[in-house]
Amino acid sequence: MRRDEIVGWLRETDRGKLGELWWRADALRRRCVGDAVHLRGLVELSNKCARQCGYCGLRAGNAALPRYRMTHDEILACARMAQELGYGTLVLQSGEDPTMDPEWLAGVVRQITTTTPLAVTLSLGEWGADVLGLWREAGADRYLLRFETADEELFQRIHPPMPGRPSSRFEVLRSLRELGYEVGSGILIGFPGQSYDELARCIEVLRELELDMIGSGPFIPHPDTPLGGSHGDAAPDQVPADDLMTYKVLALARIVRPYANIPATTALATLDKASGYERGLQRGANVIMPNLTPVRYRTLYEVYPGKTGTAPKDTYYDDIKARIEALGRTVGVGPGSSACRTGAAAHPA
């Protein structure tokens, strides 16, 4: 798909024509990864973060946020819950927390992978190849790190580098590939200054990186951040940060990378609470990530306001299983590893 075609779809507003995009993405999803929807149990193990990202509620400058880091035993309890629910993967996510001991986390990962059948995905920000290698040796299978924008100037504007430590997300993604991880990344959609052409370029990058997982989401700024009151709507070529644009990016991601695992994200379900998961699954997605974080921590992991999945009884399993089956889909069994490395030598799009 050429850049001008991608831009054309991103600008498209006709419901009938967009129906063609949804159909194409869903047909590719069915052909390339099947009807199973894989559930990944999400554990937000720490909200400590050293970064000063312009829109994220976990940013170091948010002094009003009480900070936490879960214990080894608390994380293992979540792993056991995931196993009991029949999930195949546990996703360990946190802010970028340089005070966390990498050896401690390696021990957590090692115990999960030796005492349960779960695959382990990490989403812990930027770390050096030595630490990433340590976690890989401990048994971590996958790593998620969104590059968010291919425009370096825009990236630095929303993600200021830490003193003496410039951001190098593409370098980290290369290291992950070399270490044998399944690699996941994605785009931030609709942040201030993002043009249609820039977003189209980001979709091309999804293909160029040969990603195993693609998780993109809309710009939802936390009010207690520098970008908290900004949605970029005044710029003439500004990409909107709405659910429709997010569905377009999801569908186009499926088209440019047809064998990837692609989630219908929590952010999408937050924008479209009634049917965000369903529409995502009908427009290219094949993964959902129910939140298994202990209730007392969930409201403290407030990357953005109004995040779905913070109710006390909400592990999502029964509700999500019913919603998946209502679409004629099935809940996936096992870790749901990437199909990119097993059957995708030819590009069927």
Side-chain angles (χ1 to χ4, degrees), residues 47-49 51-67 95 219-228 299-305:
N47 70 351
K48 297 182 179 183
C49 191
R51 304 296 295 256
Q52 294 284 8
C53 300
Y55 63 91
C56 179
L58 304 191
R59 67 192 308 267
N62 185 2
L65 180 67
R67 304 290 174 163
F219 173 71
I220 309 176
H222 193 283
D224 297 329
T225 62
L227 295 175
T299 56
L300 299 178
Y301 201 87
E302 192 178 62
V303 174
Y304 51 84

Side-chain angles (χ1 to χ4, degrees), residues 77 102 121 132 145 181 232 240 308 315 326 336:
T121 298
L132 297 173
L145 180 68
Y181 282 95
T308 190
T315 61

Side-chain angles (χ1 to χ4, degrees), residues 206-252:
L206 297 177
R207 176 171 52 205
E208 292 166 8
L209 289 174
E210 299 184 341
L211 296 171
D212 299 291
M213 303 168 283
I214 298 172
S216 300
F219 173 71
I220 309 176
H222 193 283
D224 297 329
T225 62
L227 295 175
S230 174
H231 294 272
D233 298 332
D237 199 39
Q238 172 67 46
V239 171
D242 58 19
D243 53 346
L244 179 60
M245 186 58 64
T246 306
Y247 290 129
K248 291 177 186 178
V249 172
L250 191 158
L252 291 165

Side-chain angles (χ1 to χ4, degrees), residues 156-230:
Q156 298 295 339
R157 188 186 308 169
I158 60 175
H159 291 284
M162 291 188 287
R165 185 183 162 191
S167 292
S168 54
R169 296 205 167 188
F170 289 107
E171 181 179 329
V172 175
L173 291 170
R174 284 192 292 271
S175 293
L176 291 166
R177 177 72 69 199
E178 292 168 0
L179 289 165
Y181 282 95
E182 288 186 19
V183 181
S185 194
I187 306 164
L188 182 62
I189 302 163
F191 62 87
Q194 185 179 56
S195 68
Y196 285 88
D197 191 69
E198 195 281 328
L199 180 54
R201 173 62 189 140
C202 289
I203 291 169
E204 291 178 328
V205 171
L206 297 177
R207 176 171 52 205
E208 292 166 8
L209 289 174
E210 299 184 341
L211 296 171
D212 299 291
M213 303 168 283
I214 298 172
S216 300
F219 173 71
I220 309 176
H222 193 283
D224 297 329
T225 62
L227 295 175
S230 174

Side-chain angles (χ1 to χ4, degrees), residues 66-207:
R67 304 290 174 163
Y68 74 88
R69 184 188 300 134
M70 291 173 59
T71 67
H72 182 286
D73 289 344
E74 287 174 324
I75 298 170
L76 265 292
C78 293
R80 288 191 291 271
M81 182 187 300
Q83 182 181 1
E84 290 167 5
L85 289 170
Y87 296 178
T89 300
L90 197 71
V91 180
L92 301 182
Q93 183 179 75
S94 78
E96 195 159 316
D97 179 8
T99 66
M100 182 180 67
D101 180 4
E103 291 283 358
W104 170 81
L105 185 66
V108 173
V109 171
R110 191 173 294 110
Q111 186 164 357
I112 293 170
T113 56
T114 57
T115 62
T116 78
L118 297 170
V120 173
T121 298
L122 303 178
S123 182
L124 307 173
E126 298 176 34
W127 291 82
D130 54 341
V131 174
L132 297 173
L134 172 69
W135 294 337
R136 180 77 180 100
E137 291 173 5
D141 305 276
R142 307 158 190 165
Y143 203 100
L144 299 170
L145 180 68
R146 292 202 315 201
F147 66 85
E148 305 214 324
T149 171
D151 186 302
E152 185 64 25
E153 182 179 343
L154 286 175
F155 183 85
Q156 298 295 339
R157 188 186 308 169
I158 60 175
H159 291 284
M162 291 188 287
R165 185 183 162 191
S167 292
S168 54
R169 296 205 167 188
F170 289 107
E171 181 179 329
V172 175
L173 291 170
R174 284 192 292 271
S175 293
L176 291 166
R177 177 72 69 199
E178 292 168 0
L179 289 165
Y181 282 95
E182 288 186 19
V183 181
S185 194
I187 306 164
L188 182 62
I189 302 163
F191 62 87
Q194 185 179 56
S195 68
Y196 285 88
D197 191 69
E198 195 281 328
L199 180 54
R201 173 62 189 140
C202 289
I203 291 169
E204 291 178 328
V205 171
L206 297 177
R207 176 171 52 205

